[in-house]
Amino acid sequence: MAKNKINKNWIHDHINDPYVKLAQKEGYRARAAFKLKEIDEDEKLIKPGQVIVDLGCTPGSWGQYARRKLAGKEGGGINGTLIGLDMLPMEPIADFHFIQGDFREADVLQQLESVVQGARVDLVLSDMAPNLSGIHDADAARMEHLIDLAIEFSQAHLKPEGSLLVKCFKDMGFNDIVLKFRAEFKTVIQKKPKASRDKSSEIFLLGRGLKNPTEGGMASAQPLDSEGWHP
Ligand SMILES: C[S@@+](CC[C@H](N)C(=O)[O-])C[C@H]1O[C@@H](n2cnc3c(N)ncnc32)[C@H](O)[C@@H]1O
């Protein structure tokens, strides 16, 4: 199909997409909020008091959703800790500790770890996807690499009963990724929320409960303060 036609189709779908309209109505920065919302409502992932790490968080709709779940009824601050990371900048979200950088780079991972260190993480979210080159095998390898890093991070920082939710694509190394999840997590569930377009091979994998929790993830207990720093 010609590029122009693809663009026109995308714009047509986008304008008529009920989740785009709903996102505007409910003040979310992206329709992606409804993917997390549906998964959360099914699986009861997000609860007050939790420490949540949001990988690939820009423009911030997952962060906004998580913040609303952690906020008290009367407004004010949140009960819990939200830390997000993205290579692109993000408009601030109140009570959300944002780190800008590439998750694949050691110094960025170190920055994230220095914020997280001491806090036991309840939930790691990853909506990261690489910029697609169009070369399938290269793109699949990049996607798998990002997910490997998210699994490694979760293995090191999650509470034993914590969870990891990652975006995958069915045509990008998915079976391998499922096997890796099964090796690390007690329960592994596939989720295709309604807001994830049927046309897309996007699917989410949820791993719950580490099979082999690390000492570090279990021993540390000092929570971050409301601004995301160690007291
Ligand atoms: C689909 S968007 C995330 C949308 C977000 N969940 C929301 O609800 O607003 C994917 C994000 O992953 C980020 N990303 C991709 N690769 C990354 C990497 N290596 N390190 C950090 N962020 C990355 C992109 O910059 C992009 O902002």
Side-chain angles (χ1 to χ4, degrees), residues 56-62 86-88 101-104 127-129 146:
C57 60
T58 299
S61 76
W62 282 22
D86 203 290
M87 57 212 293
L88 299 177
D102 187 330
F103 186 56
R104 294 165 301 179
D127 200 16
M128 288 186 292
L146 285 176

Side-chain angles (χ1 to χ4, degrees), residues 19 31-47 62 65 69 123-127 163-168 188-196 202-208:
Y19 291 105
R31 67 190 291 293
F34 299 102
K35 302 177 191 174
L36 178 61
K37 183 170 190 273
E38 186 181 324
I39 296 172
D40 178 44
E41 285 174 353
D42 276 4
E43 302 295 334
K44 314 277 176 284
L45 289 178
I46 302 177
K47 298 188 182 113
W62 282 22
Y65 173 78
K69 287 286 306 254
L123 177 63
V124 176
L125 304 169
S126 172
D127 200 16
S163 304
L164 167 65
L165 177 72
V166 295
K167 187 207 340 244
C168 307
V188 179
I189 307 168
Q190 300 182 23
K191 303 294 287 186
K192 175 80 177 172
K194 290 189 202 78
S196 178
E202 177 183 77
I203 186 152
F204 292 83
L205 259 189
L206 174 64
R208 308 198 81 161

Side-chain angles (χ1 to χ4, degrees), residues 36-227:
L36 178 61
K37 183 170 190 273
E38 186 181 324
I39 296 172
D40 178 44
E41 285 174 353
D42 276 4
E43 302 295 334
K44 314 277 176 284
L45 289 178
I46 302 177
K47 298 188 182 113
Q50 287 181 333
V51 176
I52 301 175
V53 174
D54 181 5
L55 301 170
C57 60
T58 299
S61 76
W62 282 22
Q64 289 177 297
Y65 173 78
R67 192 196 178 283
R68 289 179 195 186
K69 287 286 306 254
L70 300 186
K73 287 210 171 70
E74 307 300 322
I78 58 169
N79 175 10
T81 302
L82 288 171
I83 304 158
L85 180 147
D86 203 290
M87 57 212 293
L88 299 177
M90 189 187 80
E91 284 292 316
I93 295 174
D95 309 305
F96 187 98
H97 187 108
F98 175 66
I99 298 163
Q100 188 175 351
D102 187 330
F103 186 56
R104 294 165 301 179
E105 288 174 8
D107 62 321
V108 174
L109 178 63
Q110 244 174 29
Q111 258 189 70
L112 177 61
E113 286 181 325
S114 72
V115 175
V116 166
Q117 196 195 30
R120 299 162 37 154
V121 178
D122 294 274
L123 177 63
V124 176
L125 304 169
S126 172
D127 200 16
M128 288 186 292
N131 285 330
L132 297 183
S133 68
I135 301 165
H136 178 270
D137 289 358
D139 290 337
R142 284 196 196 110
M143 188 72 201
E144 214 171 327
H145 179 51
L146 285 176
I147 294 172
D148 285 346
L149 294 176
I151 294 174
E152 242 173 69
F153 178 82
S154 302
Q155 177 60 47
H157 296 284
L158 273 181
K159 284 180 182 172
E161 67 277 24
S163 304
L164 167 65
L165 177 72
V166 295
K167 187 207 340 244
C168 307
F169 292 99
K170 276 259 178 184
D171 53 352
M172 289 196 186
F174 184 64
N175 293 341
D176 274 0
I177 296 165
V178 171
L179 291 179
K180 287 176 189 168
F181 260 66
R182 289 204 181 123
E184 299 297 337
F185 294 97
K186 291 181 186 160
T187 311
V188 179
I189 307 168
Q190 300 182 23
K191 303 294 287 186
K192 175 80 177 172
K194 290 189 202 78
S196 178
R197 294 188 167 101
D198 289 339
K199 282 183 208 166
S200 163
S201 72
E202 177 183 77
I203 186 152
F204 292 83
L205 259 189
L206 174 64
R208 308 198 81 161
L210 291 171
K211 280 188 171 167
N212 301 297
T214 53
E215 285 289 308
M218 290 169 69
S220 50
Q222 202 183 21
L224 304 176
D225 69 16
S226 62
E227 291 180 338

